[in-house]
Amino acid sequence: LLSALPLRTRSRLVSTDGEFHTLARQLARLREEGLEVVLVPARPVETLAERLAAAVDARTAAALVSSVLFETAEIVPQLGHLAETCERHGAVLLVDAYHHLNVVPFDLTGLGLERAFVTGGGYKYCQLGEGNAFLRVPAGCRLRPVLTGWYAEFDALERGGPRERVAYAAGAGAFAGATYDPTAHYRAAAVFDFHVTQGLTPERLRAISRHQVGRLEEGILDLGLDPAVAAPVPMPAERRAGFLAVRAPDAERLTARLRERGVRVDHRGTILRLGPAPYLSDRQLDDAVAAFADAVGAASGRE
């Protein structure tokens, strides 16, 4: 997508300082090559879309933002306003929905994102395993990626003959790559069939997630820990996506201590992320809170 943008005439990219490494790294590299990269502070998240929109102008090729912040699980509101601003200035909007899909209902029309590009993957909440990611291309797109594979002209191969201009398939086909291993798609199809048979709709998964994350938050708050040691990142329950973020200066050691106790978590800097899966029972969640209390004591030298 980036290679399809008119970066010679619109050399400005607008994003946030709260994006995952996939995008943050790419933007940093493009900045090294002379592009103007504007990073808007991700917090407070309540005004993020508005502040991103204010940074978009006629020089902007694209705005790139997550619909859920990967560090804290905060849902970014009012992205439809950003979409309207991008369309008014002729800029592309890319929304990374990786931490949104299958844990919080994602309605393109309801969010005002019909004209947006949307990317995401199936590794976490969709339970698809590795090798499944996607780029949603809005209807009527006529962009021509510079980084391109022969699948992008698959339907033109049989016509053959010389061409003065590189051919592209219509719509999303223009973004196709080349020959790849499709095995992961068969696995994904089986997983989605399982979701259907179990009634795991986005709405039901959202209800399960809110219950589980809420139970973890309540359990950790009930421990009465010093907030300087560990404290859940505060936010309204309806604004939290699929995991509980706990701010802890010693997050790295806490992660190791929890894994020693059979609780698999990860951390991003000083933020510990606890992401329960739908198949976990309340008892397992309570056991995880008990292990968390034990790990905090161990990390503090009170074993």
mmCIF file of all heavy atoms in Angstrom, residues 123-166:
data_model
loop_
_atom_site.group_PDB
_atom_site.id
_atom_site.type_symbol
_atom_site.label_atom_id
_atom_site.label_comp_id
_atom_site.label_asym_id
_atom_site.label_seq_id
_atom_site.Cartn_x
_atom_site.Cartn_y
_atom_site.Cartn_z
ATOM 1 N N TYR A 123 -3.707 -14.305 14.034
ATOM 2 C CA TYR A 123 -2.876 -15.064 14.962
ATOM 3 C C TYR A 123 -3.420 -15.066 16.387
ATOM 4 O O TYR A 123 -3.330 -16.061 17.083
ATOM 5 C CB TYR A 123 -1.457 -14.487 14.935
ATOM 6 C CG TYR A 123 -0.458 -15.260 15.757
ATOM 7 C CD1 TYR A 123 -0.120 -16.567 15.411
ATOM 8 C CD2 TYR A 123 0.137 -14.697 16.865
ATOM 9 C CE1 TYR A 123 0.797 -17.290 16.161
ATOM 10 C CE2 TYR A 123 1.057 -15.404 17.622
ATOM 11 C CZ TYR A 123 1.385 -16.699 17.266
ATOM 12 O OH TYR A 123 2.281 -17.398 18.013
ATOM 13 N N LYS A 124 -4.008 -13.959 16.834
ATOM 14 C CA LYS A 124 -4.457 -13.863 18.227
ATOM 15 C C LYS A 124 -5.916 -14.278 18.371
ATOM 16 O O LYS A 124 -6.246 -15.438 18.550
ATOM 17 C CB LYS A 124 -4.266 -12.431 18.747
ATOM 18 C CG LYS A 124 -2.834 -12.074 19.119
ATOM 19 C CD LYS A 124 -2.791 -10.715 19.788
ATOM 20 C CE LYS A 124 -1.375 -10.262 20.041
ATOM 21 N NZ LYS A 124 -0.645 -11.084 21.018
ATOM 22 N N TYR A 125 -6.798 -13.301 18.286
ATOM 23 C CA TYR A 125 -8.187 -13.508 18.689
ATOM 24 C C TYR A 125 -8.980 -14.383 17.730
ATOM 25 O O TYR A 125 -9.982 -14.973 18.122
ATOM 26 C CB TYR A 125 -8.873 -12.148 18.861
ATOM 27 C CG TYR A 125 -8.087 -11.219 19.742
ATOM 28 C CD1 TYR A 125 -7.377 -10.151 19.207
ATOM 29 C CD2 TYR A 125 -8.006 -11.437 21.119
ATOM 30 C CE1 TYR A 125 -6.631 -9.308 20.018
ATOM 31 C CE2 TYR A 125 -7.259 -10.606 21.931
ATOM 32 C CZ TYR A 125 -6.583 -9.542 21.369
ATOM 33 O OH TYR A 125 -5.835 -8.719 22.174
ATOM 34 N N CYS A 126 -8.562 -14.464 16.488
ATOM 35 C CA CYS A 126 -9.239 -15.358 15.543
ATOM 36 C C CYS A 126 -8.774 -16.807 15.687
ATOM 37 O O CYS A 126 -9.389 -17.713 15.134
ATOM 38 C CB CYS A 126 -9.027 -14.886 14.107
ATOM 39 S SG CYS A 126 -9.850 -13.317 13.735
ATOM 40 N N GLN A 127 -7.664 -17.023 16.399
ATOM 41 C CA GLN A 127 -7.139 -18.364 16.683
ATOM 42 C C GLN A 127 -6.750 -19.130 15.411
ATOM 43 O O GLN A 127 -6.878 -20.346 15.340
ATOM 44 C CB GLN A 127 -8.172 -19.173 17.483
ATOM 45 C CG GLN A 127 -8.495 -18.590 18.855
ATOM 46 C CD GLN A 127 -7.350 -18.750 19.846
ATOM 47 O OE1 GLN A 127 -6.895 -19.854 20.106
ATOM 48 N NE2 GLN A 127 -6.876 -17.641 20.376
ATOM 49 N N LEU A 128 -6.263 -18.414 14.402
ATOM 50 C CA LEU A 128 -5.969 -19.044 13.109
ATOM 51 C C LEU A 128 -4.537 -19.549 13.002
ATOM 52 O O LEU A 128 -4.196 -20.210 12.028
ATOM 53 C CB LEU A 128 -6.224 -18.051 11.967
ATOM 54 C CG LEU A 128 -7.618 -17.437 11.899
ATOM 55 C CD1 LEU A 128 -7.744 -16.565 10.655
ATOM 56 C CD2 LEU A 128 -8.702 -18.509 11.913
ATOM 57 N N GLY A 129 -3.683 -19.235 13.953
ATOM 58 C CA GLY A 129 -2.291 -19.611 13.825
ATOM 59 C C GLY A 129 -1.556 -18.671 12.889
ATOM 60 O O GLY A 129 -2.068 -17.643 12.458
ATOM 61 N N GLU A 130 -0.317 -19.048 12.551
ATOM 62 C CA GLU A 130 0.519 -18.197 11.714
ATOM 63 C C GLU A 130 0.066 -18.238 10.263
ATOM 64 O O GLU A 130 -0.594 -19.165 9.817
ATOM 65 C CB GLU A 130 1.986 -18.645 11.788
ATOM 66 C CG GLU A 130 2.597 -18.579 13.182
ATOM 67 C CD GLU A 130 2.397 -19.844 13.983
ATOM 68 O OE1 GLU A 130 1.503 -20.638 13.622
ATOM 69 O OE2 GLU A 130 3.130 -20.044 14.968
ATOM 70 N N GLY A 131 0.472 -17.223 9.515
ATOM 71 C CA GLY A 131 0.314 -17.247 8.063
ATOM 72 C C GLY A 131 -0.994 -16.692 7.543
ATOM 73 O O GLY A 131 -1.326 -16.899 6.377
ATOM 74 N N ASN A 132 -1.766 -16.010 8.391
ATOM 75 C CA ASN A 132 -3.015 -15.411 7.931
ATOM 76 C C ASN A 132 -3.047 -13.929 8.293
ATOM 77 O O ASN A 132 -3.102 -13.572 9.462
ATOM 78 C CB ASN A 132 -4.218 -16.111 8.579
ATOM 79 C CG ASN A 132 -4.527 -17.429 7.932
ATOM 80 O OD1 ASN A 132 -5.147 -17.486 6.879
ATOM 81 N ND2 ASN A 132 -4.071 -18.501 8.557
ATOM 82 N N ALA A 133 -3.001 -13.096 7.297
ATOM 83 C CA ALA A 133 -3.149 -11.660 7.475
ATOM 84 C C ALA A 133 -3.888 -11.139 6.247
ATOM 85 O O ALA A 133 -4.035 -11.849 5.243
ATOM 86 C CB ALA A 133 -1.795 -10.980 7.626
ATOM 87 N N PHE A 134 -4.372 -9.912 6.326
ATOM 88 C CA PHE A 134 -5.173 -9.427 5.202
ATOM 89 C C PHE A 134 -5.031 -7.917 5.064
ATOM 90 O O PHE A 134 -4.634 -7.214 5.998
ATOM 91 C CB PHE A 134 -6.653 -9.780 5.387
ATOM 92 C CG PHE A 134 -7.300 -9.037 6.526
ATOM 93 C CD1 PHE A 134 -7.879 -7.789 6.327
ATOM 94 C CD2 PHE A 134 -7.310 -9.568 7.799
ATOM 95 C CE1 PHE A 134 -8.451 -7.088 7.372
ATOM 96 C CE2 PHE A 134 -7.889 -8.880 8.859
ATOM 97 C CZ PHE A 134 -8.458 -7.636 8.652
ATOM 98 N N LEU A 135 -5.359 -7.426 3.889
ATOM 99 C CA LEU A 135 -5.525 -6.004 3.630
ATOM 100 C C LEU A 135 -6.873 -5.826 2.963
ATOM 101 O O LEU A 135 -7.103 -6.342 1.865
ATOM 102 C CB LEU A 135 -4.418 -5.468 2.721
ATOM 103 C CG LEU A 135 -4.571 -4.000 2.296
ATOM 104 C CD1 LEU A 135 -4.391 -3.073 3.492
ATOM 105 C CD2 LEU A 135 -3.565 -3.651 1.190
ATOM 106 N N ARG A 136 -7.767 -5.137 3.620
ATOM 107 C CA ARG A 136 -9.076 -4.823 3.042
ATOM 108 C C ARG A 136 -8.931 -3.579 2.176
ATOM 109 O O ARG A 136 -8.441 -2.545 2.621
ATOM 110 C CB ARG A 136 -10.092 -4.602 4.160
ATOM 111 C CG ARG A 136 -11.513 -4.343 3.654
ATOM 112 C CD ARG A 136 -11.878 -2.875 3.608
ATOM 113 N NE ARG A 136 -13.228 -2.667 3.106
ATOM 114 C CZ ARG A 136 -13.802 -1.491 2.927
ATOM 115 N NH1 ARG A 136 -13.137 -0.378 3.199
ATOM 116 N NH2 ARG A 136 -15.022 -1.399 2.463
ATOM 117 N N VAL A 137 -9.323 -3.696 0.913
ATOM 118 C CA VAL A 137 -9.186 -2.611 -0.045
ATOM 119 C C VAL A 137 -10.571 -2.039 -0.336
ATOM 120 O O VAL A 137 -11.488 -2.779 -0.696
ATOM 121 C CB VAL A 137 -8.533 -3.115 -1.351
ATOM 122 C CG1 VAL A 137 -8.435 -2.000 -2.376
ATOM 123 C CG2 VAL A 137 -7.150 -3.701 -1.060
ATOM 124 N N PRO A 138 -10.774 -0.733 -0.179
ATOM 125 C CA PRO A 138 -12.100 -0.160 -0.416
ATOM 126 C C PRO A 138 -12.522 -0.277 -1.869
ATOM 127 O O PRO A 138 -11.682 -0.303 -2.781
ATOM 128 C CB PRO A 138 -11.937 1.306 0.003
ATOM 129 C CG PRO A 138 -10.479 1.576 -0.054
ATOM 130 C CD PRO A 138 -9.806 0.285 0.270
ATOM 131 N N ALA A 139 -13.801 -0.359 -2.093
ATOM 132 C CA ALA A 139 -14.348 -0.496 -3.455
ATOM 133 C C ALA A 139 -13.924 0.682 -4.316
ATOM 134 O O ALA A 139 -13.838 1.820 -3.851
ATOM 135 C CB ALA A 139 -15.864 -0.582 -3.391
ATOM 136 N N GLY A 140 -13.653 0.385 -5.590
ATOM 137 C CA GLY A 140 -13.303 1.430 -6.539
ATOM 138 C C GLY A 140 -11.861 1.879 -6.491
ATOM 139 O O GLY A 140 -11.491 2.829 -7.190
ATOM 140 N N CYS A 141 -11.024 1.217 -5.704
ATOM 141 C CA CYS A 141 -9.621 1.611 -5.594
ATOM 142 C C CYS A 141 -8.902 1.430 -6.931
ATOM 143 O O CYS A 141 -9.036 0.395 -7.583
ATOM 144 C CB CYS A 141 -8.930 0.791 -4.508
ATOM 145 S SG CYS A 141 -7.156 1.130 -4.349
ATOM 146 N N ARG A 142 -8.120 2.436 -7.324
ATOM 147 C CA ARG A 142 -7.381 2.384 -8.595
ATOM 148 C C ARG A 142 -5.876 2.545 -8.371
ATOM 149 O O ARG A 142 -5.131 2.849 -9.305
ATOM 150 C CB ARG A 142 -7.878 3.483 -9.534
ATOM 151 C CG ARG A 142 -9.326 3.311 -9.968
ATOM 152 C CD ARG A 142 -9.484 2.101 -10.889
ATOM 153 N NE ARG A 142 -10.845 1.946 -11.350
ATOM 154 C CZ ARG A 142 -11.762 1.198 -10.754
ATOM 155 N NH1 ARG A 142 -11.427 0.540 -9.634
ATOM 156 N NH2 ARG A 142 -12.983 1.090 -11.231
ATOM 157 N N LEU A 143 -5.406 2.342 -7.163
ATOM 158 C CA LEU A 143 -3.981 2.477 -6.886
ATOM 159 C C LEU A 143 -3.178 1.373 -7.563
ATOM 160 O O LEU A 143 -3.671 0.266 -7.760
ATOM 161 C CB LEU A 143 -3.733 2.446 -5.375
ATOM 162 C CG LEU A 143 -4.269 3.630 -4.567
ATOM 163 C CD1 LEU A 143 -4.017 3.422 -3.088
ATOM 164 C CD2 LEU A 143 -3.638 4.943 -5.042
ATOM 165 N N ARG A 144 -1.918 1.684 -7.909
ATOM 166 C CA ARG A 144 -1.040 0.738 -8.591
ATOM 167 C C ARG A 144 0.239 0.578 -7.764
ATOM 168 O O ARG A 144 1.161 1.384 -7.875
ATOM 169 C CB ARG A 144 -0.712 1.237 -10.001
ATOM 170 C CG ARG A 144 -1.935 1.504 -10.847
ATOM 171 C CD ARG A 144 -1.601 2.180 -12.173
ATOM 172 N NE ARG A 144 -0.922 1.281 -13.087
ATOM 173 C CZ ARG A 144 0.338 1.404 -13.483
ATOM 174 N NH1 ARG A 144 1.089 2.381 -12.984
ATOM 175 N NH2 ARG A 144 0.866 0.564 -14.341
ATOM 176 N N PRO A 145 0.328 -0.443 -6.910
ATOM 177 C CA PRO A 145 1.510 -0.614 -6.068
ATOM 178 C C PRO A 145 2.791 -0.771 -6.887
ATOM 179 O O PRO A 145 2.810 -1.476 -7.908
ATOM 180 C CB PRO A 145 1.212 -1.902 -5.288
ATOM 181 C CG PRO A 145 -0.274 -2.036 -5.337
ATOM 182 C CD PRO A 145 -0.691 -1.469 -6.656
ATOM 183 N N VAL A 146 3.856 -0.106 -6.457
ATOM 184 C CA VAL A 146 5.158 -0.276 -7.100
ATOM 185 C C VAL A 146 5.740 -1.639 -6.720
ATOM 186 O O VAL A 146 6.312 -2.334 -7.562
ATOM 187 C CB VAL A 146 6.113 0.866 -6.682
ATOM 188 C CG1 VAL A 146 7.519 0.615 -7.233
ATOM 189 C CG2 VAL A 146 5.573 2.203 -7.191
ATOM 190 N N LEU A 147 5.619 -2.012 -5.443
ATOM 191 C CA LEU A 147 6.010 -3.355 -5.015
ATOM 192 C C LEU A 147 4.877 -4.290 -5.386
ATOM 193 O O LEU A 147 3.799 -4.255 -4.785
ATOM 194 C CB LEU A 147 6.272 -3.383 -3.503
ATOM 195 C CG LEU A 147 7.428 -2.510 -3.022
ATOM 196 C CD1 LEU A 147 7.570 -2.602 -1.520
ATOM 197 C CD2 LEU A 147 8.722 -2.905 -3.701
ATOM 198 N N THR A 148 5.107 -5.137 -6.395
ATOM 199 C CA THR A 148 3.999 -5.886 -6.975
ATOM 200 C C THR A 148 4.438 -7.291 -7.349
ATOM 201 O O THR A 148 5.621 -7.549 -7.610
ATOM 202 C CB THR A 148 3.439 -5.143 -8.208
ATOM 203 O OG1 THR A 148 2.288 -5.810 -8.703
ATOM 204 C CG2 THR A 148 4.483 -5.013 -9.305
ATOM 205 N N GLY A 149 3.489 -8.213 -7.338
ATOM 206 C CA GLY A 149 3.743 -9.595 -7.726
ATOM 207 C C GLY A 149 2.907 -9.985 -8.932
ATOM 208 O O GLY A 149 1.932 -9.306 -9.276
ATOM 209 N N TRP A 150 3.247 -11.105 -9.540
ATOM 210 C CA TRP A 150 2.591 -11.454 -10.811
ATOM 211 C C TRP A 150 1.132 -11.855 -10.628
ATOM 212 O O TRP A 150 0.349 -11.796 -11.583
ATOM 213 C CB TRP A 150 3.378 -12.529 -11.547
ATOM 214 C CG TRP A 150 3.407 -13.888 -10.906
ATOM 215 C CD1 TRP A 150 4.239 -14.328 -9.936
ATOM 216 C CD2 TRP A 150 2.566 -14.997 -11.238
ATOM 217 N NE1 TRP A 150 3.984 -15.631 -9.624
ATOM 218 C CE2 TRP A 150 2.962 -16.082 -10.404
ATOM 219 C CE3 TRP A 150 1.532 -15.195 -12.145
ATOM 220 C CZ2 TRP A 150 2.354 -17.332 -10.460
ATOM 221 C CZ3 TRP A 150 0.924 -16.444 -12.204
ATOM 222 C CH2 TRP A 150 1.327 -17.492 -11.361
ATOM 223 N N TYR A 151 0.724 -12.195 -9.398
ATOM 224 C CA TYR A 151 -0.703 -12.464 -9.177
ATOM 225 C C TYR A 151 -1.542 -11.212 -9.436
ATOM 226 O O TYR A 151 -2.744 -11.320 -9.705
ATOM 227 C CB TYR A 151 -0.932 -12.923 -7.732
ATOM 228 C CG TYR A 151 -0.831 -14.418 -7.524
ATOM 229 C CD1 TYR A 151 0.065 -15.184 -8.260
ATOM 230 C CD2 TYR A 151 -1.611 -15.050 -6.566
ATOM 231 C CE1 TYR A 151 0.179 -16.549 -8.050
ATOM 232 C CE2 TYR A 151 -1.511 -16.418 -6.348
ATOM 233 C CZ TYR A 151 -0.614 -17.161 -7.093
ATOM 234 O OH TYR A 151 -0.511 -18.517 -6.881
ATOM 235 N N ALA A 152 -0.933 -10.041 -9.350
ATOM 236 C CA ALA A 152 -1.680 -8.803 -9.548
ATOM 237 C C ALA A 152 -2.113 -8.607 -11.003
ATOM 238 O O ALA A 152 -2.899 -7.706 -11.292
ATOM 239 C CB ALA A 152 -0.850 -7.605 -9.082
ATOM 240 N N GLU A 153 -1.591 -9.423 -11.917
ATOM 241 C CA GLU A 153 -2.080 -9.394 -13.308
ATOM 242 C C GLU A 153 -2.459 -10.798 -13.768
ATOM 243 O O GLU A 153 -2.379 -11.127 -14.949
ATOM 244 C CB GLU A 153 -1.038 -8.775 -14.239
ATOM 245 C CG GLU A 153 0.297 -9.498 -14.289
ATOM 246 C CD GLU A 153 1.210 -8.959 -15.387
ATOM 247 O OE1 GLU A 153 0.705 -8.352 -16.361
ATOM 248 O OE2 GLU A 153 2.424 -9.155 -15.269
ATOM 249 N N PHE A 154 -2.866 -11.627 -12.823
ATOM 250 C CA PHE A 154 -3.159 -13.030 -13.118
ATOM 251 C C PHE A 154 -4.155 -13.162 -14.261
ATOM 252 O O PHE A 154 -3.983 -13.993 -15.161
ATOM 253 C CB PHE A 154 -3.718 -13.703 -11.856
ATOM 254 C CG PHE A 154 -3.635 -15.203 -11.876
ATOM 255 C CD1 PHE A 154 -2.535 -15.857 -11.324
ATOM 256 C CD2 PHE A 154 -4.642 -15.962 -12.439
ATOM 257 C CE1 PHE A 154 -2.449 -17.239 -11.345
ATOM 258 C CE2 PHE A 154 -4.565 -17.352 -12.459
ATOM 259 C CZ PHE A 154 -3.456 -17.983 -11.913
ATOM 260 N N ASP A 155 -5.208 -12.328 -14.234
ATOM 261 C CA ASP A 155 -6.249 -12.462 -15.256
ATOM 262 C C ASP A 155 -5.820 -11.940 -16.621
ATOM 263 O O ASP A 155 -6.526 -12.110 -17.610
ATOM 264 C CB ASP A 155 -7.533 -11.758 -14.818
ATOM 265 C CG ASP A 155 -7.318 -10.284 -14.526
ATOM 266 O OD1 ASP A 155 -6.154 -9.836 -14.568
ATOM 267 O OD2 ASP A 155 -8.310 -9.584 -14.263
ATOM 268 N N ALA A 156 -4.646 -11.295 -16.683
ATOM 269 C CA ALA A 156 -4.171 -10.752 -17.958
ATOM 270 C C ALA A 156 -3.096 -11.618 -18.596
ATOM 271 O O ALA A 156 -2.668 -11.342 -19.721
ATOM 272 C CB ALA A 156 -3.626 -9.344 -17.747
ATOM 273 N N LEU A 157 -2.670 -12.690 -17.923
ATOM 274 C CA LEU A 157 -1.538 -13.477 -18.417
ATOM 275 C C LEU A 157 -1.816 -14.130 -19.751
ATOM 276 O O LEU A 157 -0.958 -14.177 -20.633
ATOM 277 C CB LEU A 157 -1.157 -14.540 -17.381
ATOM 278 C CG LEU A 157 -0.517 -14.026 -16.091
ATOM 279 C CD1 LEU A 157 -0.225 -15.186 -15.161
ATOM 280 C CD2 LEU A 157 0.766 -13.272 -16.406
ATOM 281 N N GLU A 158 -3.025 -14.667 -19.915
ATOM 282 C CA GLU A 158 -3.326 -15.412 -21.133
ATOM 283 C C GLU A 158 -3.382 -14.521 -22.360
ATOM 284 O O GLU A 158 -3.229 -15.002 -23.487
ATOM 285 C CB GLU A 158 -4.644 -16.176 -20.967
ATOM 286 C CG GLU A 158 -4.563 -17.304 -19.942
ATOM 287 C CD GLU A 158 -5.847 -18.106 -19.868
ATOM 288 O OE1 GLU A 158 -6.836 -17.706 -20.519
ATOM 289 O OE2 GLU A 158 -5.866 -19.134 -19.160
ATOM 290 N N ARG A 159 -3.600 -13.226 -22.154
ATOM 291 C CA ARG A 159 -3.674 -12.330 -23.313
ATOM 292 C C ARG A 159 -2.302 -12.140 -23.940
ATOM 293 O O ARG A 159 -2.165 -12.001 -25.142
ATOM 294 C CB ARG A 159 -4.257 -10.981 -22.888
ATOM 295 C CG ARG A 159 -5.720 -11.077 -22.463
ATOM 296 C CD ARG A 159 -6.390 -9.706 -22.475
ATOM 297 N NE ARG A 159 -5.814 -8.796 -21.510
ATOM 298 C CZ ARG A 159 -6.273 -8.682 -20.263
ATOM 299 N NH1 ARG A 159 -7.281 -9.446 -19.861
ATOM 300 N NH2 ARG A 159 -5.723 -7.830 -19.439
ATOM 301 N N GLY A 160 -1.266 -12.142 -23.087
ATOM 302 C CA GLY A 160 0.102 -12.070 -23.597
ATOM 303 C C GLY A 160 0.364 -10.800 -24.398
ATOM 304 O O GLY A 160 -0.401 -9.843 -24.388
ATOM 305 N N GLY A 161 1.486 -10.813 -25.133
ATOM 306 C CA GLY A 161 1.832 -9.688 -25.983
ATOM 307 C C GLY A 161 2.505 -8.561 -25.224
ATOM 308 O O GLY A 161 2.429 -8.488 -24.010
ATOM 309 N N PRO A 162 3.192 -7.690 -25.949
ATOM 310 C CA PRO A 162 3.903 -6.580 -25.307
ATOM 311 C C PRO A 162 2.927 -5.541 -24.740
ATOM 312 O O PRO A 162 1.829 -5.352 -25.253
ATOM 313 C CB PRO A 162 4.747 -6.000 -26.449
ATOM 314 C CG PRO A 162 3.980 -6.352 -27.690
ATOM 315 C CD PRO A 162 3.349 -7.688 -27.411
ATOM 316 N N ARG A 163 3.373 -4.863 -23.656
ATOM 317 C CA ARG A 163 2.549 -3.828 -23.044
ATOM 318 C C ARG A 163 3.428 -2.622 -22.739
ATOM 319 O O ARG A 163 4.578 -2.755 -22.339
ATOM 320 C CB ARG A 163 1.913 -4.321 -21.744
ATOM 321 C CG ARG A 163 0.870 -5.395 -21.924
ATOM 322 C CD ARG A 163 0.140 -5.618 -20.604
ATOM 323 N NE ARG A 163 1.043 -6.015 -19.536
ATOM 324 C CZ ARG A 163 1.332 -7.283 -19.238
ATOM 325 N NH1 ARG A 163 0.782 -8.253 -19.942
ATOM 326 N NH2 ARG A 163 2.164 -7.567 -18.259
ATOM 327 N N GLU A 164 2.885 -1.444 -22.959
ATOM 328 C CA GLU A 164 3.616 -0.229 -22.625
ATOM 329 C C GLU A 164 3.485 0.100 -21.149
ATOM 330 O O GLU A 164 4.306 0.834 -20.606
ATOM 331 C CB GLU A 164 3.105 0.946 -23.461
ATOM 332 C CG GLU A 164 3.373 0.794 -24.951
ATOM 333 C CD GLU A 164 2.900 2.006 -25.733
ATOM 334 O OE1 GLU A 164 2.385 2.953 -25.094
ATOM 335 O OE2 GLU A 164 3.049 2.016 -26.966
ATOM 336 N N ARG A 165 2.453 -0.420 -20.498
ATOM 337 C CA ARG A 165 2.179 -0.079 -19.113
ATOM 338 C C ARG A 165 1.878 -1.358 -18.346
ATOM 339 O O ARG A 165 1.163 -2.236 -18.824
ATOM 340 C CB ARG A 165 0.980 0.869 -19.052
ATOM 341 C CG ARG A 165 0.616 1.397 -17.663
ATOM 342 C CD ARG A 165 -0.516 2.415 -17.813
ATOM 343 N NE ARG A 165 -1.111 2.803 -16.551
ATOM 344 C CZ ARG A 165 -0.630 3.770 -15.763
ATOM 345 N NH1 ARG A 165 0.469 4.419 -16.120
ATOM 346 N NH2 ARG A 165 -1.238 4.080 -14.628
ATOM 347 N N VAL A 166 2.420 -1.487 -17.133
ATOM 348 C CA VAL A 166 2.200 -2.672 -16.308
ATOM 349 C C VAL A 166 0.715 -2.802 -15.994
ATOM 350 O O VAL A 166 0.065 -1.843 -15.564
ATOM 351 C CB VAL A 166 3.014 -2.592 -15.010
ATOM 352 C CG1 VAL A 166 2.683 -3.757 -14.086
ATOM 353 C CG2 VAL A 166 4.505 -2.568 -15.330
#
